Each structure stands twice: as structure tokens, then as C-alpha cells.
Amino acid sequence: MVDESRASPGSILEVLLQSFKSGEGTQRLLNHLDADVLWLRSPFLHFNPVYELTISCNFSSDGQSGGYMHDGGIFYLKANIISFEFFKYWKLTNILYPNSLDEDSLCTTIMQSEDVKALGFRVKLVNSTYFGGFCQLNKDMLREAYTIHANCCNDLRSKVHDMRIVLDDWIRFRNRVSGDNASDKMALRWPQKCLR
């Protein structure tokens, strides 16, 4: 579900839907989307149904108070009783510790909680090279990434602005790859307004 500010003309939802039209094998994934992730390629070859959860986690640091784990914007969840119990546990921790930023992040919860292991909740972390975000950039993102999450960006206008630049760069990159300039490197023009 998205609210009116995310679904109006020129919004983040419009950019997201446009990314599905420009992605490789992504059109069929429209029924499985969150709103601030651009899907450049179909990610399913990286998901293993043996695990209850396959997730991308990004790390960022403000240089002063340490680092933070951010959800990478994509996860694959196996529907079973173990997953159900884990999400009951996660919701309970959010109720018990409502002001904890750590509990807002699914990545932080699964990395720091011994209870996750006790539940038998099996987690596979996928390489952030393939499931990147604004928190953790790499110069070959367009060449390697399956999804790019506009994380580390709280302002909706900044998020839409930078996601449009990513999408424009993706379309330019695809045109280069299909032409004679496949080996040319493209410099990242983003994030501009979403500061890491």
C-alpha cells in the first residue's frame, strides 16, 4: 500500500513502475513490489527456498556514532510456521521497544538477535553488490545490480529526484550495452539529494 504522496503523478510510484518497463525480465514482477526500489533485473536466481528469509542488507556509517544496518529493499520470504513465528516476535519487539531505531530494521533484528536462531529461522544474506542501495554504492552498480533501493534517504522529494536519475542512467546504460559501447563505463550521477 502507498499513500497519496507516493502515488500522485510525478511520484515515486510512477518512477518505480517505469523501472519495470525498462528492466530485464521484470514486467511479471509487478505483483511483488515495495515502492522505493528500482528493479533492474529479475532477482529470483539469488533466492533459495530452503531459507525462510533471503534478504539484502546495506551498511552505512555516519563517521561518528558507528554504523547502521539498513534493509536493502528486497527480501524473499518463505511462507511457513517458522516465518510466521518470527514476524510475531519482530512485531512484539517493536511494541516493547517503540523508540529503538534498531528494531525498525529487519536486518538489525536478524543480525543481533539470538532469538532468531532459537526459532529455527534460517536467513541467507545476499550480496549487496547485486542488491544495492544509496547507503552502499559501488561504481559498477548498473552493470551488476538486480535492484537498487533508495535507502538512507528520508525525504520523499529527494528520493524521487534521485530515483529518476538512477532510472535515466539505467535506460542510457541499456542503450549503450545494446549498441557498440558495451565496454564503456558510466559514472554514477546519484545520489544527489539523498546524502549518505
Side-chain angles (χ1 to χ4, degrees):
M1 296 190 313
V2 292
D3 63 22
E4 184 178 347
S5 67
R6 292 179 181 250
S8 60
S11 70
I12 198 166
L13 185 61
E14 185 177 288
V15 177
L16 172 73
L17 295 175
Q18 191 176 6
S19 79
F20 279 88
K21 294 175 185 173
S22 304
E24 296 175 4
T26 56
Q27 294 80 9
R28 66 186 179 86
L29 304 175
L30 281 169
N31 292 331
H32 308 282
L33 57 93
D34 198 339
D36 62 351
V37 177
L38 295 175
W39 293 56
L40 307 181
R41 298 170 177 91
S42 178
F44 287 103
L45 88 111
H46 291 277
F47 301 157
N48 185 335
V50 169
Y51 297 91
E52 272 68 43
L53 177 67
T54 303
I55 190 168
S56 171
C57 298
N58 295 149
F59 180 80
S60 70
S61 173
D62 62 9
Q64 295 173 348
S65 58
Y68 304 95
M69 285 295 258
H70 300 273
D71 299 341
I74 188 166
F75 65 89
Y76 173 86
L77 181 68
K78 183 177 180 179
N80 64 19
I81 192 69
I82 296 170
S83 297
F84 179 73
E85 291 300 320
F86 168 75
F87 278 94
K88 278 189 355 188
Y89 161 79
W90 190 40
K91 184 173 182 172
L92 178 62
T93 59
N94 285 321
I95 291 168
L96 293 176
Y97 309 104
N99 297 324
S100 172
L101 293 176
D102 288 346
E103 296 306 328
D104 288 341
S105 168
L106 184 55
C107 288
T108 300
T109 301
I110 61 174
M111 299 297 259
Q112 294 182 351
S113 176
E114 290 298 319
D115 295 330
V116 172
K117 293 176 187 160
L119 289 169
F121 190 69
R122 296 167 291 191
V123 177
K124 177 185 179 192
L125 295 176
V126 291
N127 189 329
S128 62
T129 298
Y130 303 118
F131 300 93
F134 290 176
C135 292
Q136 197 171 338
L137 298 173
N138 92 51
K139 61 182 169 54
D140 291 324
M141 227 167 193
L142 293 176
R143 188 172 303 283
E144 298 174 341
Y146 287 76
T147 64
I148 297 176
H149 185 208
N151 52 10
C152 294
C153 190
N154 295 326
D155 177 63
L156 191 56
R157 285 185 186 199
S158 297
K159 201 175 270 214
V160 171
H161 175 271
D162 284 356
M163 287 179 70
R164 284 193 187 282
I165 294 171
V166 174
L167 186 56
D168 289 345
D169 282 355
W170 169 246
I171 292 167
R172 284 183 29 236
F173 175 79
R174 293 266 326 253
N175 290 337
R176 281 182 159 189
V177 169
S178 63
D180 295 332
N181 302 320
S183 62
D184 288 353
K185 294 257 182 188
M186 283 183 53
L188 299 181
R189 300 184 303 143
W190 37 271
Q192 290 180 1
K193 294 191 174 191
C194 294
L195 302 176
R196 290 182 289 148

PDB file of all heavy atoms in Angstrom, residues 3 17 22 31 39 49 66 85 87 98 102 108 111 114 157 166 169 171 194:
ATOM      1  N   ASP A   3       0.626   5.693   0.164  1.00  0.00           N
ATOM      2  CA  ASP A   3      -0.275   6.806   0.408  1.00  0.00           C
ATOM      3  C   ASP A   3      -0.295   7.748  -0.789  1.00  0.00           C
ATOM      4  O   ASP A   3       0.427   7.573  -1.761  1.00  0.00           O
ATOM      5  CB  ASP A   3       0.085   7.531   1.707  1.00  0.00           C
ATOM      6  CG  ASP A   3       1.457   8.168   1.664  1.00  0.00           C
ATOM      7  OD1 ASP A   3       1.971   8.433   0.564  1.00  0.00           O
ATOM      8  OD2 ASP A   3       2.008   8.405   2.752  1.00  0.00           O
ATOM      9  N   LEU A  17       7.218   2.145 -11.371  1.00  0.00           N
ATOM     10  CA  LEU A  17       6.545   1.421 -12.450  1.00  0.00           C
ATOM     11  C   LEU A  17       7.300   1.557 -13.770  1.00  0.00           C
ATOM     12  O   LEU A  17       7.378   0.614 -14.548  1.00  0.00           O
ATOM     13  CB  LEU A  17       5.104   1.912 -12.588  1.00  0.00           C
ATOM     14  CG  LEU A  17       4.215   1.623 -11.375  1.00  0.00           C
ATOM     15  CD1 LEU A  17       2.849   2.264 -11.551  1.00  0.00           C
ATOM     16  CD2 LEU A  17       4.090   0.138 -11.111  1.00  0.00           C
ATOM     17  N   SER A  22      11.515  -0.873 -18.052  1.00  0.00           N
ATOM     18  CA  SER A  22      12.876  -0.786 -18.572  1.00  0.00           C
ATOM     19  C   SER A  22      13.764  -1.934 -18.108  1.00  0.00           C
ATOM     20  O   SER A  22      14.884  -2.064 -18.578  1.00  0.00           O
ATOM     21  CB  SER A  22      13.521   0.534 -18.124  1.00  0.00           C
ATOM     22  OG  SER A  22      12.748   1.617 -18.530  1.00  0.00           O
ATOM     23  N   ASN A  31       3.451  -7.688  -9.407  1.00  0.00           N
ATOM     24  CA  ASN A  31       2.595  -8.115  -8.289  1.00  0.00           C
ATOM     25  C   ASN A  31       3.376  -8.325  -6.989  1.00  0.00           C
ATOM     26  O   ASN A  31       2.795  -8.696  -5.980  1.00  0.00           O
ATOM     27  CB  ASN A  31       1.853  -9.406  -8.649  1.00  0.00           C
ATOM     28  CG  ASN A  31       0.843  -9.171  -9.735  1.00  0.00           C
ATOM     29  OD1 ASN A  31       0.294  -8.090  -9.875  1.00  0.00           O
ATOM     30  ND2 ASN A  31       0.596 -10.190 -10.532  1.00  0.00           N
ATOM     31  N   TRP A  39      13.741  -2.055  -9.843  1.00  0.00           N
ATOM     32  CA  TRP A  39      14.038  -3.424 -10.247  1.00  0.00           C
ATOM     33  C   TRP A  39      14.656  -3.375 -11.641  1.00  0.00           C
ATOM     34  O   TRP A  39      13.970  -3.107 -12.612  1.00  0.00           O
ATOM     35  CB  TRP A  39      12.768  -4.244 -10.263  1.00  0.00           C
ATOM     36  CG  TRP A  39      12.155  -4.464  -8.918  1.00  0.00           C
ATOM     37  CD1 TRP A  39      11.774  -3.515  -8.014  1.00  0.00           C
ATOM     38  CD2 TRP A  39      11.845  -5.709  -8.327  1.00  0.00           C
ATOM     39  NE1 TRP A  39      11.236  -4.112  -6.909  1.00  0.00           N
ATOM     40  CE2 TRP A  39      11.265  -5.454  -7.074  1.00  0.00           C
ATOM     41  CE3 TRP A  39      11.986  -7.031  -8.743  1.00  0.00           C
ATOM     42  CZ2 TRP A  39      10.842  -6.473  -6.224  1.00  0.00           C
ATOM     43  CZ3 TRP A  39      11.559  -8.035  -7.904  1.00  0.00           C
ATOM     44  CH2 TRP A  39      11.000  -7.758  -6.647  1.00  0.00           C
ATOM     45  N   PRO A  49      14.761 -21.310  -1.792  1.00  0.00           N
ATOM     46  CA  PRO A  49      13.592 -21.612  -0.965  1.00  0.00           C
ATOM     47  C   PRO A  49      13.887 -22.461   0.269  1.00  0.00           C
ATOM     48  O   PRO A  49      13.001 -22.686   1.083  1.00  0.00           O
ATOM     49  CB  PRO A  49      12.654 -22.343  -1.932  1.00  0.00           C
ATOM     50  CG  PRO A  49      13.524 -22.871  -3.000  1.00  0.00           C
ATOM     51  CD  PRO A  49      14.700 -21.945  -3.112  1.00  0.00           C
ATOM     52  N   GLY A  66      29.293   5.285  14.795  1.00  0.00           N
ATOM     53  CA  GLY A  66      29.351   3.895  14.350  1.00  0.00           C
ATOM     54  C   GLY A  66      28.570   3.670  13.084  1.00  0.00           C
ATOM     55  O   GLY A  66      28.332   4.580  12.304  1.00  0.00           O
ATOM     56  N   GLU A  85       6.102 -17.270  13.093  1.00  0.00           N
ATOM     57  CA  GLU A  85       6.542 -17.059  14.478  1.00  0.00           C
ATOM     58  C   GLU A  85       7.588 -15.949  14.564  1.00  0.00           C
ATOM     59  O   GLU A  85       7.578 -15.151  15.494  1.00  0.00           O
ATOM     60  CB  GLU A  85       7.088 -18.361  15.083  1.00  0.00           C
ATOM     61  CG  GLU A  85       6.031 -19.412  15.322  1.00  0.00           C
ATOM     62  CD  GLU A  85       4.937 -18.946  16.292  1.00  0.00           C
ATOM     63  OE1 GLU A  85       5.268 -18.266  17.299  1.00  0.00           O
ATOM     64  OE2 GLU A  85       3.758 -19.246  16.047  1.00  0.00           O
ATOM     65  N   PHE A  87       7.885 -13.301  12.569  1.00  0.00           N
ATOM     66  CA  PHE A  87       7.258 -11.999  12.403  1.00  0.00           C
ATOM     67  C   PHE A  87       6.394 -11.614  13.603  1.00  0.00           C
ATOM     68  O   PHE A  87       6.267 -10.428  13.922  1.00  0.00           O
ATOM     69  CB  PHE A  87       6.503 -11.902  11.072  1.00  0.00           C
ATOM     70  CG  PHE A  87       7.442 -11.573   9.949  1.00  0.00           C
ATOM     71  CD1 PHE A  87       7.991 -12.570   9.187  1.00  0.00           C
ATOM     72  CD2 PHE A  87       7.813 -10.266   9.696  1.00  0.00           C
ATOM     73  CE1 PHE A  87       8.892 -12.271   8.164  1.00  0.00           C
ATOM     74  CE2 PHE A  87       8.705  -9.948   8.689  1.00  0.00           C
ATOM     75  CZ  PHE A  87       9.247 -10.952   7.920  1.00  0.00           C
ATOM     76  N   PRO A  98       9.457   0.680  21.364  1.00  0.00           N
ATOM     77  CA  PRO A  98       8.936   1.520  20.278  1.00  0.00           C
ATOM     78  C   PRO A  98       9.884   2.613  19.802  1.00  0.00           C
ATOM     79  O   PRO A  98       9.769   3.076  18.685  1.00  0.00           O
ATOM     80  CB  PRO A  98       7.669   2.128  20.878  1.00  0.00           C
ATOM     81  CG  PRO A  98       7.892   2.098  22.344  1.00  0.00           C
ATOM     82  CD  PRO A  98       8.724   0.876  22.615  1.00  0.00           C
ATOM     83  N   ASP A 102      17.012   0.436  16.024  1.00  0.00           N
ATOM     84  CA  ASP A 102      17.488  -0.890  15.637  1.00  0.00           C
ATOM     85  C   ASP A 102      16.349  -1.832  15.298  1.00  0.00           C
ATOM     86  O   ASP A 102      16.442  -2.634  14.389  1.00  0.00           O
ATOM     87  CB  ASP A 102      18.330  -1.519  16.755  1.00  0.00           C
ATOM     88  CG  ASP A 102      19.689  -0.844  16.895  1.00  0.00           C
ATOM     89  OD1 ASP A 102      20.065  -0.090  15.973  1.00  0.00           O
ATOM     90  OD2 ASP A 102      20.346  -1.071  17.905  1.00  0.00           O
ATOM     91  N   THR A 108      18.879  -5.486  11.156  1.00  0.00           N
ATOM     92  CA  THR A 108      19.435  -5.379  12.502  1.00  0.00           C
ATOM     93  C   THR A 108      18.862  -6.465  13.402  1.00  0.00           C
ATOM     94  O   THR A 108      19.584  -7.095  14.169  1.00  0.00           O
ATOM     95  CB  THR A 108      19.146  -3.985  13.096  1.00  0.00           C
ATOM     96  OG1 THR A 108      19.741  -3.002  12.254  1.00  0.00           O
ATOM     97  CG2 THR A 108      19.706  -3.850  14.497  1.00  0.00           C
ATOM     98  N   MET A 111      20.390  -9.878  12.593  1.00  0.00           N
ATOM     99  CA  MET A 111      21.829  -9.962  12.852  1.00  0.00           C
ATOM    100  C   MET A 111      22.154  -9.972  14.346  1.00  0.00           C
ATOM    101  O   MET A 111      23.153 -10.538  14.741  1.00  0.00           O
ATOM    102  CB  MET A 111      22.555  -8.785  12.195  1.00  0.00           C
ATOM    103  CG  MET A 111      22.399  -8.748  10.694  1.00  0.00           C
ATOM    104  SD  MET A 111      23.121 -10.165   9.906  1.00  0.00           S
ATOM    105  CE  MET A 111      24.628  -9.453   9.345  1.00  0.00           C
ATOM    106  N   GLU A 114      19.595 -13.426  19.202  1.00  0.00           N
ATOM    107  CA  GLU A 114      19.770 -14.865  19.397  1.00  0.00           C
ATOM    108  C   GLU A 114      18.435 -15.601  19.277  1.00  0.00           C
ATOM    109  O   GLU A 114      18.386 -16.780  18.960  1.00  0.00           O
ATOM    110  CB  GLU A 114      20.412 -15.146  20.763  1.00  0.00           C
ATOM    111  CG  GLU A 114      21.863 -14.725  20.844  1.00  0.00           C
ATOM    112  CD  GLU A 114      22.754 -15.468  19.855  1.00  0.00           C
ATOM    113  OE1 GLU A 114      22.581 -16.691  19.679  1.00  0.00           O
ATOM    114  OE2 GLU A 114      23.608 -14.808  19.240  1.00  0.00           O
ATOM    115  N   ARG A 157      10.774  13.803  -1.641  1.00  0.00           N
ATOM    116  CA  ARG A 157      11.147  14.517  -2.869  1.00  0.00           C
ATOM    117  C   ARG A 157      12.569  14.187  -3.297  1.00  0.00           C
ATOM    118  O   ARG A 157      12.847  14.010  -4.480  1.00  0.00           O
ATOM    119  CB  ARG A 157      11.008  16.027  -2.681  1.00  0.00           C
ATOM    120  CG  ARG A 157       9.594  16.478  -2.699  1.00  0.00           C
ATOM    121  CD  ARG A 157       9.504  17.958  -2.626  1.00  0.00           C
ATOM    122  NE  ARG A 157       8.100  18.313  -2.507  1.00  0.00           N
ATOM    123  CZ  ARG A 157       7.639  19.495  -2.768  1.00  0.00           C
ATOM    124  NH1 ARG A 157       8.435  20.449  -3.149  1.00  0.00           N
ATOM    125  NH2 ARG A 157       6.353  19.738  -2.632  1.00  0.00           N
ATOM    126  N   VAL A 166      18.647   7.590 -11.356  1.00  0.00           N
ATOM    127  CA  VAL A 166      19.060   6.187 -11.491  1.00  0.00           C
ATOM    128  C   VAL A 166      18.356   5.553 -12.685  1.00  0.00           C
ATOM    129  O   VAL A 166      18.985   4.878 -13.505  1.00  0.00           O
ATOM    130  CB  VAL A 166      18.740   5.374 -10.214  1.00  0.00           C
ATOM    131  CG1 VAL A 166      19.044   3.899 -10.423  1.00  0.00           C
ATOM    132  CG2 VAL A 166      19.504   5.909  -9.018  1.00  0.00           C
ATOM    133  N   ASP A 169      19.763   6.828 -15.914  1.00  0.00           N
ATOM    134  CA  ASP A 169      21.075   6.214 -16.142  1.00  0.00           C
ATOM    135  C   ASP A 169      20.936   4.758 -16.570  1.00  0.00           C
ATOM    136  O   ASP A 169      21.687   4.275 -17.422  1.00  0.00           O
ATOM    137  CB  ASP A 169      21.943   6.302 -14.887  1.00  0.00           C
ATOM    138  CG  ASP A 169      22.551   7.678 -14.689  1.00  0.00           C
ATOM    139  OD1 ASP A 169      22.383   8.548 -15.569  1.00  0.00           O
ATOM    140  OD2 ASP A 169      23.202   7.882 -13.646  1.00  0.00           O
ATOM    141  N   ILE A 171      18.437   3.407 -18.253  1.00  0.00           N
ATOM    142  CA  ILE A 171      17.981   3.374 -19.646  1.00  0.00           C
ATOM    143  C   ILE A 171      19.147   3.719 -20.578  1.00  0.00           C
ATOM    144  O   ILE A 171      19.346   3.049 -21.604  1.00  0.00           O
ATOM    145  CB  ILE A 171      16.777   4.324 -19.835  1.00  0.00           C
ATOM    146  CG1 ILE A 171      15.567   3.760 -19.077  1.00  0.00           C
ATOM    147  CG2 ILE A 171      16.453   4.505 -21.320  1.00  0.00           C
ATOM    148  CD1 ILE A 171      14.419   4.731 -18.923  1.00  0.00           C
ATOM    149  N   CYS A 194      19.885  12.690  -1.907  1.00  0.00           N
ATOM    150  CA  CYS A 194      19.897  11.729  -0.804  1.00  0.00           C
ATOM    151  C   CYS A 194      21.333  11.575  -0.350  1.00  0.00           C
ATOM    152  O   CYS A 194      22.133  10.957  -1.044  1.00  0.00           O
ATOM    153  CB  CYS A 194      19.347  10.379  -1.264  1.00  0.00           C
ATOM    154  SG  CYS A 194      17.614  10.404  -1.721  1.00  0.00           S
TER     155      CYS A 194
END
